[in-house]
Amino acid sequence: PDCAGIDHADFTPDGRTAVFTCEFAGRVAVVDVAEHRLLRMIDMPHRNTTMGPQDIKLAPDGSVFYIADSDQNGVWVLDGAATKVVREIPTGMGAHGLYLSRDATKLYVTNRHEGSVSVLDAYTGAPLAKWAIPGGGSPDMGNVTADGTQLWLSGRNDRSVYALSTADGHLIRKIGVGSGPHGL
């Protein structure tokens, strides 16, 4: 009941615990999967409750969870045991979706309100690059192709889908799809 706007979730490496984002409560819910029991609520250092914590991804080594927070314009970093927020990584206006590269070395963060994608080191969170979509855009949800060469994203407010090269972020193609695409 304290997790308004349950949005996305990810699991600890052992699969016993899940962390759910609470978009309209500015927090996450940590749940024991086997017992179906709430273990704890963790407030973000700044509780954004309009478009707060949205997507969540566990780092490839299980050391931390990355949590996109649109109103914070960046990513919160939660320790791998899901007990506390350890830091914040500014990425861009409207940080929304999180996607790992197929080789698990990079984390792509969609910045919906500024039309860009931030590229972070998936293990350290260090910023590596920022790709702007030519002419603007609103990159939202998507994923990486099976061969890892492209990042496909819905353009939520742009009536489009974008295909970006994961080599350098250039726009391969913008495809018109109609109103409000949200995920792929």
Side-chain angles (χ1 to χ4, degrees):
D2 295 329
C3 188
I6 291 177
D7 205 349
H8 295 258
D10 207 348
F11 298 88
T12 54
D14 63 9
R16 295 181 181 178
T17 306
V19 182
F20 292 84
T21 60
C22 310
E23 182 176 353
F24 308 127
R27 55 176 40 152
V28 296
V30 182
V31 175
D32 181 304
V33 174
E35 300 291 325
H36 300 160
R37 179 175 57 90
L38 178 66
L39 297 174
R40 62 191 153 275
M41 299 296 294
I42 301 172
D43 292 347
M44 299 299 101
H46 186 270
R47 287 187 61 194
N48 296 306
T49 58
T50 303
M51 288 184 69
Q54 295 172 352
D55 205 358
I56 182 169
K57 288 287 184 289
L58 183 68
D61 62 1
S63 61
V64 297
F65 288 90
Y66 296 106
I67 302 166
D69 189 320
S70 186
D71 282 348
Q72 195 65 25
N73 299 320
V75 174
W76 298 110
V77 181
L78 180 70
D79 70 309
T83 60
K84 65 182 179 212
V85 176
V86 295
R87 66 188 173 110
E88 174 185 359
I89 304 168
T91 60
M93 292 177 55
H96 186 77
L98 304 172
Y99 308 97
L100 285 168
S101 61
R102 291 292 176 209
D103 65 2
T105 61
K106 297 174 187 70
L107 180 69
Y108 305 111
V109 182
T110 60
N111 302 308
R112 184 166 74 186
H113 298 218
E114 75 176 34
S116 72
V117 175
S118 293
V119 183
L120 306 179
D121 180 290
Y123 292 89
T124 67
L128 301 174
K130 187 184 269 190
W131 303 330
I133 295 174
S138 56
D140 194 86
M141 307 301 293
N143 219 327
V144 178
T145 56
D147 67 3
T149 63
Q150 297 176 17
L151 174 64
W152 282 62
L153 301 166
S154 59
R156 181 87 178 260
N157 303 317
D158 197 24
R159 305 172 59 93
S160 300
V161 167
Y162 318 109
L164 304 175
S165 166
T166 56
D168 60 8
H170 80 269
L171 180 66
I172 297 168
R173 184 146 185 208
K174 180 177 176 180
I175 304 162
V177 296
S179 184
H182 188 201
L184 299 174

